[in-house]
């Protein structure tokens, strides 16, 4: 018996009857020989962790564009916080921690430079639209490994695709990540907004603080415990009505006071203009796009989609560097680019 088979046996014996067992995966698009050490979801986790798109997350905006400080979240630190919250919940509920971690680490691979501002502009420019969750799946299916993709299991791809509010994953592990994403970004964005002097804790409505807590630690403790208490022994992942409604209200508060705040988002109009000019320029100069992207034109991909693939994969710094290269006289270019 291999180490992998031992682990799969342990899953059958110790995990909840509602857990997604590795041996019950719907499999991959391309069949592969199994690993002798790692079950399929652990193998997926490792593939995501080692891919180029994951490494680029460290230099992509979460909320604050080009923040002056080392402690503001990036898309990578957000991803790690989502993963940690999700693993805590999965372990307590005896669900598949490897599957949860793979989905969490891959859920934002498709995010653009400059956060949701970049997503907004590419969605408005591309004929077929642009959504980061769909792009995340496109990355793991087509763009990584020079067009071969990572060949992930169906369950991981389903969780990545359906982590947003408007859709629902088919596994409990995917549902955990869906909740954990909101829990992470609401709370760390409050922390960053306080650091940026856009909020003080007392700005949060008192009734929400009474329900969820006054600090990041208290709110995380409330939300994570509430999910565990209300989901244990059930074939669903849920919160109590009171706490879930409070979380929704806190999310709405953040949209009004942070995500749409002119101080916090004042630079976004510049980021949108930058990406729009890059998009227009590349549409007329496809020869400047790396061959691994333009090769997809031969396979029938639309020109717009290929340009979106290239731009959405850029880090903030790389997009700025390319803008400087194409649109600024050399003497005006920012030092270091």
């Amino acid at each position: 018996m291999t180490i992998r088979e031992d682990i799969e046996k342990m899953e059958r014996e110790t995990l909840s009857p509602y857990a997604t067992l590795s041996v019950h995966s719907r499999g991959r698009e391309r069949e592969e020989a199994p690993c002798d050490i790692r079950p399929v979801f652990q193998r997926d986790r490792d593939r995501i962790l080692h891919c180029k798109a994951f490494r680029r997350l460290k230099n992509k905006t979460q909320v604050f564009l080009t923040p002056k400080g080392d402690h503001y979240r990036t898309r990578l630190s957000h991803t790690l916080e989502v993963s940690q919250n999700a693993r805590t919940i999965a372990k307590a509920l005896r669900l598949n921690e490897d599957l949860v971690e793979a989905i969490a680490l891959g859920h934002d691979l498709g995010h653009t430079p400059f956060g949701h501002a970049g997503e907004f502009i590419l969605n408005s420019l591309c004929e077929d639209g642009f959504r980061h969750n769909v792009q995340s799946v496109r990355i793991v299916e087509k763009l990584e490994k020079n067009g071969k993709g990572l060949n992930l299991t169906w369950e991981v791809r389903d969780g990545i695709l359906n982590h947003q509010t408007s859709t629902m994953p088919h596994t409990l592990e995917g549902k955990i990540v869906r909740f954990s994403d909101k829990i992470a970004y609401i709370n760390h964005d409050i922390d960053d907004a306080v650091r940026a002097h856009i909020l003080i804790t007392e700005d949060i409505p008192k009734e929400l603080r009474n329900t969820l807590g006054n600090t990041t630690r208290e709110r995380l403790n409330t939300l994570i415990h509430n999910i565990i208490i209300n989901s244990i022994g059930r074939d669903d992942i849920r919160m109590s009505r009171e706490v879930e409604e409070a979380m929704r209200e806190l999310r709405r508060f953040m949209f009004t006071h942070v995500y749409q705040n002119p101080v916090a988002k004042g630079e976004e109009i510049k980021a949108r203009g930058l990406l729009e000019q890059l998009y227009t320029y590349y549409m007329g100069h496809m020869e400047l796009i790396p061959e691994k992207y333009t090769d997809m034109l031969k396979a029938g991909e639309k020109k717009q989609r290929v340009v979106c693939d290239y731009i959405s994969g850029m880090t903030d710094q790389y997009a700025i560097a390319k803008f400087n290269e194409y649109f600024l006289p050399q003497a005006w270019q920012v030092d270091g680019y």
Side-chain angles (χ1 to χ4, degrees):
M1 183 178 285
T2 64
I3 293 172
R4 170 184 54 78
E5 289 170 325
D6 277 339
I7 296 172
E8 291 169 347
K9 180 174 181 287
M10 185 173 63
E11 284 185 1
R12 289 193 295 270
E13 293 173 349
T14 62
L15 293 186
S16 162
Y18 304 117
T20 305
L21 299 182
S22 300
V23 293
H24 292 162
S25 171
R26 297 192 193 183
R28 310 179 187 280
E29 288 191 337
R30 300 187 303 277
E31 191 172 342
E32 297 180 9
C35 177
D36 62 332
I37 296 175
R38 298 166 298 166
V40 289
F41 301 137
Q42 186 181 348
R43 204 174 183 188
D44 284 359
R45 185 274 315 273
D46 294 348
R47 290 180 182 186
I48 291 168
L49 188 66
H50 290 289
C51 77
K52 292 178 181 177
F54 184 81
R55 295 198 293 275
R56 291 195 298 267
L57 295 177
K58 68 181 179 182
N59 288 317
K60 290 193 177 192
T61 290
Q62 173 62 25
V63 171
F64 294 90
L65 297 181
T66 58
K68 293 181 175 64
D70 294 331
H71 298 135
Y72 290 91
R73 270 70 170 194
T74 65
R75 191 61 61 180
L76 179 60
S77 57
H78 161 72
T79 294
L80 296 177
E81 290 184 37
V82 173
S83 176
Q84 189 57 55
N85 292 341
R87 288 179 60 198
T88 298
I89 296 167
K91 187 183 287 286
L93 296 176
R94 292 190 298 118
L95 297 176
N96 196 313
E97 203 173 338
D98 289 335
L99 175 55
V100 157
E101 189 173 19
I103 295 169
L105 293 180
H107 83 283
D108 270 356
L109 291 178
H111 252 298
T112 62
F114 311 120
H116 287 284
E119 182 173 17
F120 176 88
I121 195 64
L122 290 186
N123 186 55
S124 68
L125 292 169
C126 188
E127 184 179 280
D128 297 325
F130 182 94
R131 293 187 296 149
H132 80 270
N133 58 318
V134 176
Q135 188 69 15
S136 296
V137 175
R138 183 170 169 81
I139 285 172
V140 300
E141 288 184 343
K142 293 186 177 182
L143 300 183
E144 278 289 332
K145 302 289 186 182
N146 294 319
K148 296 178 182 178
L150 302 180
N151 198 29
L152 304 181
T153 56
W154 181 89
E155 291 78 9
V156 172
R157 288 180 285 125
D158 170 76
I160 291 172
L161 179 65
N162 295 303
H163 75 269
Q164 291 192 290
T165 302
S166 58
T167 56
M168 187 64 70
H170 291 80
T171 65
L172 296 191
E173 289 83 1
K175 291 179 181 180
I176 287 175
V177 174
R178 183 174 176 271
F179 265 125
S180 297
D181 182 36
K182 296 174 183 61
I183 290 170
Y185 74 66
I186 289 170
N187 283 286
H188 65 51
D189 292 350
I190 290 173
D191 190 38
D192 282 354
V194 170
R195 179 173 290 107
H197 305 294
I198 290 168
L199 283 182
I200 58 173
T201 301
E202 289 70 25
D203 290 331
I204 300 171
K206 188 175 181 180
E207 60 271 21
L208 298 183
R209 286 185 277 129
N210 289 340
T211 301
L212 299 176
N214 286 290
T215 66
T216 298
R217 179 180 179 277
E218 289 177 359
R219 286 189 297 271
L220 289 174
N221 188 62
T222 297
L223 292 164
I224 290 171
H225 273 77
N226 192 265
I227 289 176
I228 293 169
I229 290 167
N230 286 277
S231 304
I232 198 162
R234 291 192 170 102
D235 188 16
D236 195 15
I237 304 300
R238 62 177 71 170
M239 287 180 172
S240 68
R241 182 175 298 178
E242 178 189 17
V243 169
E244 186 168 10
E245 182 53 37
M247 186 176 77
R248 287 198 189 107
E249 284 297 325
L250 185 56
R251 184 170 177 267
R252 285 191 279 267
F253 170 86
M254 289 296 290
F255 268 93
T256 302
H257 292 82
V258 177
Y259 304 141
Q260 298 168 352
N261 183 297
V263 176
K265 313 303 279 183
E267 296 293 296
E268 281 194 356
I269 190 168
K270 299 176 186 177
R272 292 181 184 184
L274 182 154
L275 292 182
E276 184 171 7
Q277 289 189 67
L278 282 180
Y279 178 89
T280 302
Y281 192 75
Y282 283 127
M283 285 293 289
H285 297 83
M286 293 294 289
E287 72 279 3
L288 296 174
I289 295 179
E291 189 175 350
K292 67 179 181 179
Y293 292 99
T294 55
D295 278 349
M296 293 188 292
L297 295 172
K298 302 170 188 175
E301 293 284 2
K302 293 181 179 178
K303 190 175 174 181
Q304 290 180 330
R305 179 55 57 193
V306 171
V307 172
C308 280
D309 286 338
Y310 183 46
I311 292 177
S312 67
M314 294 178 175
T315 62
D316 295 13
Q317 293 93 326
Y318 190 75
I320 292 169
K322 285 299 175 184
F323 180 86
N324 285 343
E325 179 183 340
Y326 299 143
F327 298 110
L328 294 185
Q330 187 173 2
W332 295 357
Q333 290 181 16
V334 177
D335 289 342
Y337 291 125

